[in-house]
Amino acid sequence: MASFKPTKIQVYPKLGEKVTQDTLYWKNYKAPVQIKEFGAVTSIDFSPVTPHNFAVTAFTRIHIYGPFSQEPVKSFTRFKDTAYCGRFRSDGQLLVAGCEDSVVRLFDVSGKVALRLFKGHTKAVHLTDFTSDRYQILTGSDDYTCRLWDIPNATELTTYTEHTDYIRCGVTSKLNRDLFITGSYDHTVKLFDARVEKSVITMDHGQPVESVLLYPSEGLLVSAGGRHVKVWDLLKGGQPLVSLKNHHKTVTSLALSSNGQRLLSASLDRHVKVYNTTNYKVVHNFDYAASILSLGLAPDDASIVVGMTNSILSIKHRKNQEDSKEIAGQQRRRPSYRVFVKGKNYVPKQDDYLVSKPVKEHLAKYDKQLQRFNVSKALDTALGTYIRFRKPEITVAVIKELDRRGTLKNALAGRDERGLSQLLNFIIGNLVDARFTPVLVTAAEMILDIYQSVIGQSPVVDRQLLRLQDLVKREIEFQKDLLEVLGMLDTMFASSLPRKESASASAPTVDPFPTCSLNTDS
Amino acid sequence: MVEHGDIRVVHCGGSKINFRDPVITHDSRFLLCASGEAVKVFSTSTEECIHELRGHTGLVTGVLLRPSNHLQVYSSSLDGTLRLWDFTDGILIKTCVIGYPIYSFYASDKHENVIFIVASMPSDKRRFQLVAVHLPQSGDQMVEAQELSAVLSGVNPNPAAIAFGRGGEFIASVNDLQWSLEGGWNTFTCVACHPKDDCIATGHEDGKIRLWRNFNHKKEYTYSTLHWHHSTVSSLCFTPEGTNLLSGGVESVLVQWRYNQESERDFLPRLGGAITHITVSPDGSLFCTSHSDNKITIIQSCVKVSAVIQGLVKGDIRTDLMMDPRSKALVLNGKPGHLQFYSLQRDKLLYNLDIVQQEYIHESGLQQFEVVKAAFDASGSWLATVEERHQKAAELELNLKLWAFDEQTQSFVLNTTISAPHDAQITAMCFCQPTDSQTTLLVSTSKDGHFKAWQLAAPAHTEDEGPSWLCDFVSAYHGLVPECCSFSADGSLLAVVFQEVVTVWSPSTWELLTTLSQPPGAVSDLCFGRLSCSKYLLGTTASNLLCWNLLTCSLEWTTSMDVRRLVADPLSENMAAFCYQSGSTDLFVFKPSEPRPLFSHKAVCSGKVTQAVFAPREEMLESCEESSQWLNRSQLYFLTQQMDLMTFTTKAEEDRLLASSKQVSSSHWFSMTPFYLLLGKHRQQQQEHQDSDSSLWAERTALPQTSASMKELLQTPAHVLPSTSYLCSMFVQSLLISVSDARSEKAHAEEEMESEKEEEDSEEEMESSRSKPELAAAAATESDTPALTKAQARELRRVRKLDHSWLAGLLDS
């Protein structure tokens, strides 16, 4: 006597990304806080000292936000035109910002009025930064020059005129007070040494450079421009190391995670991508609502701040430990382990007579019904809310099993309006899923056969049938388009393949899309 | 043409055991069933076949215990004889010639020496009558029954259609008359009579069981209806006391109805195939059901299955015949959704591998998943199976499954399931042959015009899932349908047939190397030559057998014959071609390099042969005759159109088998009792002695006698036995007789050992008794080494002794 063989639930390859450590880490953020700014957010800079406030440059203002506040702690509004690139000094006391009116302003973080004004550039200043000795300021401007200024007496120290286009980004070395790097729209990234008159290393990025970033060790440099993100080895004299092309629009901003293991790039294509810095593979991806202009990552990855063209600032805070602990606490409310092992670990003694108990085989609820040939009940069980929404493959497997037993019609028939609409809902939801289509098409056809006499009696069912018809129509359109694309691809492959004299065999093609044959009899 | 000499085509294994209802003996130890032209005796506890009662020359149509002697059994056959057997020893006691083919027969307690047989009417062969035969009382081995008297005419030849009630007081017979009741037409299928009551149970085609009473009075009979079965009731049986009624049908559920309390029923579901017969042992402790899949299940009082006797399932075999390289078992599909592994040497089904792994629904007209293709790789560590289910007005459901052999469980474990591997039916499938390469390759061809190569791929992610099979390559050739594929012996070439064109590919680069074609006619079967003939590629078309030389890419030779199946011997260059010619099949065995066939056999069987396989022998034959040399390394098995498994044997082999079968003693089938353990051990020792010393042949003949006396002693009821003290000596004596010789030998050996021990005990004694070992040592060393001096010998012995004690000390520490 064989035991009942349970319904086979087909294991489908998991769609979507695999759950990795990275996914878990980067998903562990709360829902974003969205703040409306006055214009496109062009720059975000975190203060190096606690509490790690961050300066957000948007239109003619710079707002400083605290780590948890949704209102700005401080605002700098004394700009005559659009402000650019508000940056903190390494002690978090001073803030520098460029402006469209070519004047560079230096602020005390606690004050309101600019401490110093650096005038000398002739066009908008998009790049400002402090050197590591804290006494000088680097600026880069649309007048193709970059300059070093002395803070105490607000004088210009040096001017570099090597770039031949706008200078839009740059960074100073944190380890050496004389080194700084600028990126320009003339496609080059240049490393300058303040002790000499001209650039030391020039790297050709190939596209207008939008952002540069130095690794903490300052051996590697990352530059972003166009769709490319490139990594350069400075210690080898600016040798290109990797070129990443994972975005499909201009990459605008770069950031490095706190431990230096992950690199983040933001782009106009509304994505933020996370790379592993050892193999430079994309390990995670964030989607945003609009094109991203600026990206900031708080120390310890405590929050991700993203500024977008639609003047929205999005702040994602990391879930803290207590929250996750709370969830764990809820899960612990179960019988203790001892309850389950009670008596199970008893080792029989020598004289004990062992009474063997037949192992009770566990069957799922729908299998129990199937075992008793209760086909309608089995389908009802498989259409339960949890299974229907969370594990549609089980419902589909039961429908398939009923079809194999030749009793699907019996199971589908005799349903009232509620039951039928539930069934139709499920079919509408899953019909176009390529994994379920073959099974559900048969079921849908059967439903139409069975219930065609009652069409028109229930508005709910009628509406759903119309939806189903619509869905099928749309799906057929899609399939047609796909086949057209496939045909085009085939032609392209055929023309691109080198022709051999003996190549009589047709080009190997793999059909990536199982063509669905759907009948439009609804 | 070569004469086929002493090579003979024989049936091989697996005749039907579910043809007629089996019989359980009174002591419930044996089960007898008709199996082809023999009656098989099985042990109910060990499931082993103990005897085959051979002698009939026609199909055996019934087995019945002799009512007057429970150790004897009657069997009837289509050859027109009744035979009486002693089933414990497997001896034919009497043959009674009736003269007409017997379709079924009955006996009852009331009618001594009368057997009721069903034979065809002399006037009309298609109508049957029940005839009472008075068995002549004579001591002769062969008697002819003279007294025949017809009892009933127009009966059904099916044995289930007639039953004797109340120990033979009345006969109930049902006919397949259409019988109208309650507006519906019904057909009787079987009948059973209550052993004590006047009650007849009949089974009907609509799944109802009717219990008839009061039939002694004309027209006043009453009946009640029991309904559980959803289709035909195929068998009915009352338990000996009449308390329960058992019924079975196509649902494969044994239903037990309480007599007079019909609302209470017990079920024993999922027994296997459809139930064809139900029998109960005379003491009611064992039930036994025959199933349509050539299986007999023995059930302990409707509670649990205690034994399953499974024969070779020969239904609609759609897979090729294959050999499992590990177990050397023949593999073919048997039960629906299963592959059966059948040991040809032991004529026993080893196990069934569940391929489909779905609940089988017993319902006629339901399209089930069927295993249609299977293939083993060369080492037997991978098995690929294809199952398909074709439903009307629905897409073809196709699954390709790959099974890995698991060393721990010694069976195949599912590794990968590929649903819908192709868009249409798979026409052929083969594994890459070489054993040395690390990657295994599977090629499948399909009616959708593609062939695909599947490869075992390492897991993509470093998770705990193992490697699985992935599609490696897809190709087609001018939109033609590939029919079959074959790998060369070294795995360097793959040949795929696209109708008339044979394409040869290189599996390493997937490059099309060459195409071979020989119109007209599509190539239907393909085979690479082996060993010295590996440069040849053979193909068959509807009218020709073609042989290409792969070095020149040209046709080497061709002959015109209609080859239906071409098989290559894996161990030699030989090939076997089954040709269909005017209603029968001829066999040619040849080497591709030689124009002359090694062996040919006209009219092997009638009908076409489409499935055949070479099975490697366990031990090679030493035949030197030219015509039978091809059978030395492997044996050829084939399936006829009637699904009979046939093979070829030589005369020498048959003689050898016959001799060995005589040697096998009947001691294997005793059930495991404490006495058996005692005696079995004892007997094993005896046998070891005999094996070591063949001079004890005379002993062997004395053995059965002693064992018989012991058996008698053990089987006699305790209250009739003499006193234990008397028995004990007898028992011990019976044990001692057989070892008398061995004991003396043993004693001798012991003496020698003792003497040797003594001489090593002390040096002084050793010196005194030196002469004897010296002599032995001298005798031993004389031939090749110069004799040692006494001093040297002593020194040597001392060294050895020292060495010994030191070693012992080391061991102790």
Side-chain angles (χ1 to χ4, degrees), chain B residues 44 126 139 214 219 221 237 243-244 291 303 312 316 331 349 388 443 459 489 670 709 746 799:
Chain B
T44 53
R126 279 167 302 169
N214 273 344
K219 305 252 178 191
Y221 59 81
C237 184
T243 49
N244 291 312
H291 299 268
V303 184
L312 184 68
D316 178 25
V331 180
L349 197 82
E388 65 175 40
V443 169
F670 284 114
S709 75
K746 214 175 180 178
V799 166

Short mmCIF file of all heavy atoms in Angstrom, two decimals, chain B residues 44 126 139 214 219 221 237 243-244 291 303 312 316 331 349 388 443 459 489 670 709 746 799:
data_model
loop_
_atom_site.label_atom_id
_atom_site.label_comp_id
_atom_site.label_asym_id
_atom_site.label_seq_id
_atom_site.Cartn_x
_atom_site.Cartn_y
_atom_site.Cartn_z
N THR B 44 4.99 -17.18 1.15
CA THR B 44 4.23 -15.96 1.48
C THR B 44 5.03 -15.02 2.37
O THR B 44 4.69 -13.86 2.49
CB THR B 44 2.92 -16.30 2.20
OG1 THR B 44 3.24 -17.13 3.30
CG2 THR B 44 1.95 -16.99 1.28
N ARG B 126 -17.45 -21.25 -29.64
CA ARG B 126 -17.50 -20.00 -28.90
C ARG B 126 -18.43 -20.07 -27.70
O ARG B 126 -18.55 -19.12 -26.95
CB ARG B 126 -17.92 -18.85 -29.83
CG ARG B 126 -16.76 -18.32 -30.65
CD ARG B 126 -17.25 -17.45 -31.76
NE ARG B 126 -18.19 -18.19 -32.61
CZ ARG B 126 -18.94 -17.62 -33.54
NH1 ARG B 126 -18.90 -16.33 -33.70
NH2 ARG B 126 -19.76 -18.34 -34.28
N GLY B 139 -3.95 -46.16 -9.73
CA GLY B 139 -2.64 -45.76 -9.26
C GLY B 139 -1.73 -45.27 -10.36
O GLY B 139 -0.59 -44.89 -10.09
N ASN B 214 -32.96 -15.97 -0.88
CA ASN B 214 -34.27 -16.59 -1.16
C ASN B 214 -34.39 -17.10 -2.58
O ASN B 214 -35.47 -17.14 -3.14
CB ASN B 214 -35.42 -15.59 -0.94
CG ASN B 214 -35.86 -15.61 0.49
OD1 ASN B 214 -35.51 -16.56 1.20
ND2 ASN B 214 -36.59 -14.61 0.90
N LYS B 219 -38.90 -17.06 -8.41
CA LYS B 219 -39.48 -15.74 -8.59
C LYS B 219 -39.67 -14.98 -7.28
O LYS B 219 -40.27 -13.92 -7.26
CB LYS B 219 -40.87 -15.83 -9.28
CG LYS B 219 -40.81 -16.59 -10.56
CD LYS B 219 -40.97 -15.66 -11.74
CE LYS B 219 -40.85 -16.47 -13.01
NZ LYS B 219 -40.74 -15.67 -14.18
N TYR B 221 -37.13 -14.33 -5.19
CA TYR B 221 -35.82 -13.93 -4.65
C TYR B 221 -35.84 -12.46 -4.26
O TYR B 221 -36.60 -11.66 -4.80
CB TYR B 221 -34.72 -14.21 -5.66
CG TYR B 221 -34.88 -13.52 -6.99
CD1 TYR B 221 -34.50 -12.17 -7.11
CD2 TYR B 221 -35.38 -14.19 -8.09
CE1 TYR B 221 -34.66 -11.53 -8.31
CE2 TYR B 221 -35.53 -13.55 -9.29
CZ TYR B 221 -35.17 -12.21 -9.40
OH TYR B 221 -35.32 -11.57 -10.58
N CYS B 237 -15.12 -11.89 -3.04
CA CYS B 237 -14.69 -13.06 -2.30
C CYS B 237 -15.22 -12.98 -0.87
O CYS B 237 -15.16 -11.92 -0.25
CB CYS B 237 -13.16 -13.13 -2.30
SG CYS B 237 -12.52 -14.59 -1.52
N THR B 243 -18.01 -13.92 7.36
CA THR B 243 -18.30 -12.68 8.10
C THR B 243 -18.04 -11.45 7.26
O THR B 243 -18.62 -10.40 7.52
CB THR B 243 -17.44 -12.61 9.36
OG1 THR B 243 -16.09 -12.87 8.98
CG2 THR B 243 -17.88 -13.61 10.40
N ASN B 244 -17.15 -11.57 6.31
CA ASN B 244 -16.80 -10.40 5.51
C ASN B 244 -16.89 -10.73 4.03
O ASN B 244 -16.67 -11.88 3.62
CB ASN B 244 -15.37 -9.94 5.81
CG ASN B 244 -15.25 -9.36 7.19
OD1 ASN B 244 -16.06 -8.53 7.59
ND2 ASN B 244 -14.26 -9.82 7.94
N HIS B 291 -3.07 -8.08 -9.24
CA HIS B 291 -3.26 -6.78 -9.87
C HIS B 291 -2.92 -6.85 -11.34
O HIS B 291 -2.17 -7.71 -11.77
CB HIS B 291 -2.39 -5.73 -9.19
CG HIS B 291 -2.70 -5.56 -7.75
ND1 HIS B 291 -3.60 -4.64 -7.31
CD2 HIS B 291 -2.27 -6.23 -6.66
CE1 HIS B 291 -3.71 -4.74 -6.00
NE2 HIS B 291 -2.91 -5.69 -5.59
N VAL B 303 -5.30 -5.36 7.00
CA VAL B 303 -4.70 -4.29 7.77
C VAL B 303 -3.47 -3.76 7.07
O VAL B 303 -3.36 -2.59 6.74
CB VAL B 303 -4.32 -4.74 9.18
CG1 VAL B 303 -3.79 -3.57 9.97
CG2 VAL B 303 -5.52 -5.35 9.87
N LEU B 312 7.46 -9.19 -13.98
CA LEU B 312 7.83 -8.19 -14.96
C LEU B 312 6.55 -7.58 -15.54
O LEU B 312 5.67 -8.29 -15.98
CB LEU B 312 8.65 -8.84 -16.07
CG LEU B 312 9.20 -7.93 -17.15
CD1 LEU B 312 10.25 -7.01 -16.58
CD2 LEU B 312 9.78 -8.75 -18.27
N ASP B 316 2.25 -1.50 -22.15
CA ASP B 316 2.62 -0.75 -23.33
C ASP B 316 4.01 -0.19 -23.09
O ASP B 316 4.18 0.83 -22.43
CB ASP B 316 1.57 0.35 -23.52
CG ASP B 316 1.90 1.22 -24.70
OD1 ASP B 316 2.59 0.72 -25.61
OD2 ASP B 316 1.47 2.37 -24.72
N VAL B 331 16.13 -2.41 -17.82
CA VAL B 331 15.29 -1.29 -17.41
C VAL B 331 14.30 -0.97 -18.52
O VAL B 331 14.67 -0.85 -19.68
CB VAL B 331 16.15 -0.05 -17.11
CG1 VAL B 331 15.27 1.11 -16.69
CG2 VAL B 331 17.15 -0.35 -16.03
N LEU B 349 12.02 -8.86 -10.20
CA LEU B 349 11.98 -7.41 -10.29
C LEU B 349 12.73 -6.83 -9.10
O LEU B 349 12.42 -7.13 -7.96
CB LEU B 349 10.52 -6.94 -10.26
CG LEU B 349 10.34 -5.52 -10.73
CD1 LEU B 349 10.29 -5.47 -12.23
CD2 LEU B 349 9.08 -4.94 -10.15
N GLU B 388 5.66 12.37 -20.67
CA GLU B 388 4.79 13.27 -21.40
C GLU B 388 3.34 12.91 -21.15
O GLU B 388 3.00 11.78 -20.79
CB GLU B 388 5.11 13.26 -22.90
CG GLU B 388 4.84 11.94 -23.57
CD GLU B 388 5.06 12.02 -25.06
OE1 GLU B 388 6.02 12.68 -25.47
OE2 GLU B 388 4.27 11.42 -25.80
N VAL B 443 22.15 14.74 -25.07
CA VAL B 443 21.59 15.35 -26.27
C VAL B 443 20.17 14.84 -26.45
O VAL B 443 19.92 13.65 -26.31
CB VAL B 443 22.45 15.03 -27.51
CG1 VAL B 443 21.74 15.44 -28.76
CG2 VAL B 443 23.78 15.74 -27.41
N PRO B 459 26.76 25.09 -9.64
CA PRO B 459 25.77 26.04 -9.14
C PRO B 459 26.23 27.47 -9.35
O PRO B 459 27.39 27.81 -9.16
CB PRO B 459 25.67 25.70 -7.65
CG PRO B 459 26.90 24.94 -7.34
CD PRO B 459 27.29 24.23 -8.59
N ALA B 489 31.87 6.08 -29.82
CA ALA B 489 32.29 5.39 -28.60
C ALA B 489 33.19 6.27 -27.75
O ALA B 489 33.16 6.20 -26.53
CB ALA B 489 32.98 4.09 -28.95
N PHE B 670 12.91 -22.14 3.83
CA PHE B 670 12.34 -22.28 5.18
C PHE B 670 12.16 -20.92 5.81
O PHE B 670 13.01 -20.05 5.69
CB PHE B 670 13.25 -23.12 6.06
CG PHE B 670 13.15 -24.58 5.75
CD1 PHE B 670 14.23 -25.26 5.22
CD2 PHE B 670 11.97 -25.25 5.97
CE1 PHE B 670 14.13 -26.60 4.94
CE2 PHE B 670 11.88 -26.59 5.68
CZ PHE B 670 12.96 -27.28 5.16
N SER B 709 14.25 -36.07 8.87
CA SER B 709 13.92 -36.61 10.20
C SER B 709 13.78 -35.48 11.22
O SER B 709 12.90 -35.48 12.07
CB SER B 709 14.99 -37.60 10.65
OG SER B 709 16.14 -36.91 11.03
N LYS B 746 39.33 -33.02 12.36
CA LYS B 746 39.52 -31.91 13.27
C LYS B 746 40.37 -32.36 14.47
O LYS B 746 41.30 -31.67 14.89
CB LYS B 746 38.15 -31.41 13.75
CG LYS B 746 38.09 -29.92 13.99
CD LYS B 746 36.67 -29.58 14.33
CE LYS B 746 36.48 -28.12 14.59
NZ LYS B 746 35.08 -27.82 14.88
N VAL B 799 65.05 -16.84 18.31
CA VAL B 799 64.79 -15.48 17.79
C VAL B 799 63.29 -15.28 17.56
O VAL B 799 62.71 -14.27 17.95
CB VAL B 799 65.56 -15.27 16.46
CG1 VAL B 799 65.04 -14.03 15.73
CG2 VAL B 799 67.03 -15.11 16.74
#
